[in-house]
Amino acid sequence: MTGLEVRTTVLHNAGTDLGGVAADVSGALAELLAAVSADGAIPRNDDISAMIAAAYAAIHEMAAGSIASAVTALGGHGEGLTSMAASYRDTDQDAAAAIRAGATWA
């Protein structure tokens, strides 16, 4: 039976790609929020339009917060994957150095 094979390059690339996706989504969200903001506020001329405006503002805030939270999570997972790849790579290098130095497995 062979040991665990960790493909650190694939792991690192996946983390980098995930970080890139987070950056892309963050940029798209910023563009969307700027476009929505440019449209201006919903007029509150009467009770109905005031209720619509309040509902819109609440939905907008929840949606933007949810997407921002997802972007933060994606970025964090990307960083975690690249960190994991580095840890595996360092451990492999340390084990190889120990074997070259004559270490035995007890």
Side-chain angles (χ1 to χ4, degrees), residues 6-41:
V6 177
R7 298 184 297 171
T8 56
T9 302
V10 173
L11 194 57
H12 176 81
N13 290 344
T16 301
D17 290 347
L18 193 54
V21 168
D24 291 347
V25 173
S26 180
L29 177 61
E31 289 178 20
L32 175 63
L33 293 177
V36 168
S37 180
D39 284 343

Side-chain angles (χ1 to χ4, degrees), residues 53-97:
Y56 170 80
I59 292 168
H60 174 81
E61 185 177 330
M62 287 187 303
S66 177
I67 294 169
S69 177
V71 166
T72 300
L74 285 174
H77 291 310
E79 289 173 11
L81 289 174
T82 56
S83 176
M84 187 184 304
S87 294
Y88 278 121
R89 192 175 301 117
D90 292 346
T91 300
D92 284 346
Q93 289 171 354
D94 291 348

